[in-house]
Amino acid sequence: MNNHTYCSMVIFGATGDLAKRKLFPSIYNLYKKGTLDKNFAVVGVARREWSDEVFRENVTASLQDSNISIEGDLTEFLSHFRYLAFDVTNAASYQDLHELLNSLEQEFSIPGNRMFYMAMAPEFFGTIASYLKSEGVTNEQGWNRLIIEKPFGHDFASAQKLNEDLRQAFAEDEIYRIDHYLGKEMVQNIGVIRFANAIFESLWNNRHISNIQITSSESLGVEDRGGYYDTSGALRDMVQNHMIQMVALLAMEPPIRLTTEEIRSEKIKALRALRPMTKDEVKQYFVRSQYGPGSMNGKEVPGYRSEPKVNPESRTETFVAGKLMIDNFRWAGVPIYIRTGKRMQEKSTKIVVEFKELPMNLYSKSENNVHPNLLIIHIQPDEGISLILNGKKIGMTDKTTPAKLDYCNHCIDGINTPEAYEKLLNDAIHGDATNFTHWDEVALSWKFVDVISEAWKEDTSSEFELYPAGSMGPKAADELLAQDGFHWWPIGDDSDYSI
Ligand code: NAD
């Protein structure tokens, strides 16, 4: 065990949903696997007046409610947990925190390494960072790392302001901006698929790929997050971060080394090549929509405007589809289509890479149904890769049929892929920022997205096409591809790929 991984973790917002559902189970898994051994402490910080005991009971309940397996007695694990009732705008709270950390570092022989996890409303991030600095909480011998949740601002200007506030207290290399998609096994696998497989990397360009499609669909509606979501929408909630990050990983050039700096620098270069749009062009490239009433699994569900805490006349988009062009040598002319939405037919995140047809195909399409080759990267809920090839139809015929080769992560016995949060926490403890977003990436994606949200905000006159809950989105999203001669590939597990 390396001393550099001995640390205290301060969770701001420890009574909240994220801490309960993701952070505590991830910390427990890291403990079970030995990443966190005896030399760690967790300080939960939130408004409520809880005792350590009540906090520990809540941590225990969160582990029991999650789907992780608990091994034996939790007493030793829980002895590392402390709670501090906290007012984030009061300097005295930070002094208490400082004292508590000093004593925990003694108790658990932790060499001053401190991780601050912001799991609360973003309006407090700047305030907390500046108090941590002014009250000397960051002022120790070991490392300081700030982990920060989305949303990172709501547009470029607010993100820049937040970044400046954080930078008063933390250096860029101490700030770990979470994009939990980057912790997902198959998102991390994009690099391996591309750079460790000669058959793909040599085809990974505009000579061989006709288009790429990225879908991230949710079947849930806004649930009880209507208040937040109505001020955000799918563009800010999903496109600016997760979707654009996946685009960057698919489009980047091979890094010269697998280091954080080299990978980030290639991602940033890819994002700089994103074709900018004028507000007038947004209609040509982007589609927004909102779910209306519909049915999910045979059950009637209300439309977005009837959801709790949502403005009944809301024009917030719950669905976005877009066409992104990367204007560089590798990708000129290859559209990358994205779509994401709530209350769609099923929950699924998938990337489909569609390869070009052969220059001359002896098995003509009309008679023999020759299919373009597809590489499908399944990100969630199932994880794996499928490759769609053409095979000969068995029998006395020269007809072809799509042949699907599957590699499925879950099918490997005993392998339960770790949660994204567990991996990201582990990376942060080890000081590996590769799977976190650099400020330059955040800035470039906000600048790209801001044009779209401004165009939509100004366009108050056009009709808002709704899509029925339980569908795959509005017709306009299909037309976006149809005008280029493409269509969305199905994303269901038992999809039929014959055309
Ligand atoms: P939440 O509302 O459930 O919890 C907020 C926490 O902040 C609570 O512990 C509350 O006590 C604390 N808090 C609020 N005001 C405070 C104050 N003035 N002083 C001290 N503590 C205060 O929120 P959440 O869902 O856990 O989300 C937290 C952050 O994580 C947000 O930035 C959110 O966007 C982000 N996030 C959450 C999820 C998720 O699954 N819940 C997913 C991705 C990102």
Side-chain angles (χ1 to χ4, degrees):
M1 174 75 59
N2 180 336
N3 256 348
H4 293 299
T5 60
Y6 295 180
C7 63
S8 314
M9 293 179 248
V10 182
I11 300 179
F12 290 91
T15 59
D17 175 68
L18 183 77
K20 178 169 161 258
R21 284 192 310 113
K22 303 290 183 189
L23 303 185
F24 301 142
S26 299
I27 292 171
Y28 179 67
N29 274 346
L30 291 175
Y31 171 80
K32 223 168 52 175
K33 290 175 185 168
T35 301
L36 294 173
D37 194 3
K38 299 268 181 271
N39 310 83
F40 78 99
V42 178
V43 180
V45 160
R47 263 180 311 200
R48 282 180 216 175
E49 296 287 339
W50 277 2
S51 63
D52 288 346
E53 288 323 308
V54 174
F55 181 47
R56 289 173 187 160
E57 281 163 19
N58 276 273
V59 173
T60 308
S62 88
L63 302 184
Q64 286 162 346
D65 290 348
S66 70
N67 58 1
I68 58 172
S69 70
I70 300 175
E71 284 170 12
D73 180 32
L74 288 172
T75 314
E76 205 287 324
F77 173 69
L78 292 171
S79 71
H80 296 258
F81 284 68
R82 297 286 193 287
Y83 184 80
L84 200 58
F86 208 85
D87 174 0
V88 291
T89 57
N90 183 352
S93 287
Y94 296 85
Q95 289 149 13
D96 294 345
L97 175 62
H98 195 187
E99 263 178 46
L100 178 59
L101 285 172
N102 285 343
S103 82
L104 288 171
E105 282 164 3
Q106 291 259 315
E107 183 179 342
F108 294 111
S109 309
I110 298 168
N113 297 327
R114 294 177 177 185
M115 178 189 285
F116 303 98
Y117 198 118
M118 305 271 184
M120 56 189 283
E123 62 259 34
F124 298 118
F125 294 167
T127 313
I128 297 173
S130 66
Y131 272 117
L132 286 175
K133 170 104 176 162
S134 67
E135 301 313 307
V137 192
T138 56
N139 214 359
E140 287 301 312
Q141 297 298 316
W143 50 252
N144 292 291
R145 291 181 190 140
L146 178 74
I147 310 205
I148 189 156
E149 270 294 339
K150 79 170 189 183
F152 199 92
H154 56 268
D155 56 13
F156 173 68
S158 58
Q160 192 176 33
K161 164 80 175 61
L162 170 59
N163 202 49
E164 280 163 9
D165 290 349
L166 300 180
R167 289 297 305 276
Q168 310 267 331
F170 293 88
E172 173 63 31
D173 65 4
E174 292 176 324
I175 303 175
Y176 289 65
R177 296 177 195 80
I178 288 251
D179 184 320
H180 67 271
Y181 270 55
L182 298 181
K184 291 186 189 294
E185 186 72 18
M186 289 308 295
V187 171
Q188 298 189 352
N189 215 337
I190 293 173
V192 180
I193 294 169
R194 290 191 51 194
F195 306 132
N197 289 297
I199 58 164
F200 293 129
E201 187 47 28
S202 55
L203 300 180
W204 212 260
N205 55 51
N206 53 9
R207 286 188 296 287
H208 300 287
I209 290 177
S210 67
N211 73 93
I212 297 179
Q213 305 175 8
I214 310 174
T215 301
S216 187
S217 58
E218 281 179 63
S219 54
L220 290 179
V222 284
E223 308 290 290
D224 54 359
R225 290 175 72 224
Y228 158 75
Y229 195 86
D230 210 33
T231 60
S232 165
L235 186 70
R236 293 189 174 98
D237 195 45
M238 289 295 296
V239 176
Q240 180 272 334
N241 36 49
H242 314 312
M243 303 302 276
I244 290 188
Q245 280 294 322
M246 287 192 279
V247 170
L249 290 169
L250 289 162
M252 67 190 256
E253 290 299 312
I256 53 170
R257 257 176 241 103
L258 286 179
T259 60
T260 304
E261 288 70 29
E262 297 301 343
I263 293 172
R264 278 177 165 177
S265 132
E266 293 306 336
K267 281 169 72 190
I268 290 164
K269 250 168 44 195
L271 294 178
R272 283 174 50 211
L274 267 181
R275 183 183 298 174
M277 289 165 288
T278 63
K279 282 192 238 173
D280 290 339
E281 287 170 332
V282 167
K283 264 205 171 87
Q284 236 175 289
Y285 288 91
F286 272 80
V287 169
R288 63 173 157 166
S289 186
Q290 194 186 71
Y291 64 84
S295 87
M296 304 286 310
N297 304 322
K299 203 177 133 229
E300 297 299 304
V301 294
Y304 176 70
R305 289 174 191 167
S306 312
E307 297 278 19
K309 297 192 218 134
V310 169
N311 173 359
E313 288 168 18
S314 172
R315 286 176 64 83
T316 299
E317 77 289 350
T318 63
F319 175 97
V320 176
K323 166 174 157 178
L324 288 79
M325 301 301 293
I326 305 234
D327 288 332
N328 65 14
F329 212 79
R330 186 186 285 264
W331 293 113
V334 181
I336 302 183
Y337 302 106
I338 57 170
R339 67 177 163 168
T340 180
K342 290 198 175 288
R343 274 285 185 242
M344 290 173 69
Q345 200 177 314
E346 61 183 296
K347 178 179 171 63
S348 174
T349 302
K350 281 193 173 60
I351 297 167
V352 180
V353 179
E354 179 175 341
F355 292 90
K356 286 188 173 169
E357 307 258 340
L358 291 167
M360 191 186 100
N361 202 324
L362 296 170
Y363 301 89
S364 79
K365 210 176 215 167
S366 55
E367 274 183 34
N368 287 315
N369 202 14
V370 173
H371 193 283
N373 294 141
L374 304 176
L375 167 68
I376 306 170
I377 304 174
H378 309 260
I379 291 168
Q380 66 178 16
D382 45 320
E383 297 176 346
I385 310 168
S386 305
L387 193 57
I388 313 288
L389 306 170
N390 286 298
K392 183 185 167 299
K393 214 172 195 162
I394 293 170
M396 306 262 250
T397 172
D398 63 354
K399 288 190 194 314
T400 64
T401 185
K404 189 172 176 214
L405 308 185
D406 275 327
Y407 163 74
C408 150
N409 268 3
H410 289 309
C411 309
I412 302 170
D413 249 6
I415 293 194
N416 199 347
T417 56
E419 270 265 6
Y421 274 94
E422 183 188 330
K423 285 208 219 184
L424 293 175
L425 265 180
N426 184 51
D427 285 357
I429 291 169
H430 286 88
D432 180 354
T434 312
N435 297 312
F436 295 81
T437 45
H438 187 273
W439 164 245
D440 291 351
E441 298 169 66
V442 176
L444 284 163
S445 50
W446 271 126
K447 284 182 187 166
F448 181 78
V449 153
D450 275 359
V451 179
I452 307 167
S453 44
E454 278 161 29
W456 285 351
K457 199 164 134 202
E458 286 168 18
D459 176 14
T460 49
S461 58
S462 64
E463 282 289 309
F464 213 106
E465 185 197 349
L466 303 182
Y467 60 100
S471 71
M472 279 311 285
K475 284 196 199 71
D478 297 336
E479 283 152 18
L480 187 71
L481 274 70
Q483 68 196 11
D484 298 334
F486 301 122
H487 60 85
W488 292 104
W489 289 101
I491 56 157
D493 288 338
D494 43 5
S495 299
D496 176 7
Y497 287 95
S498 42
I499 26 181

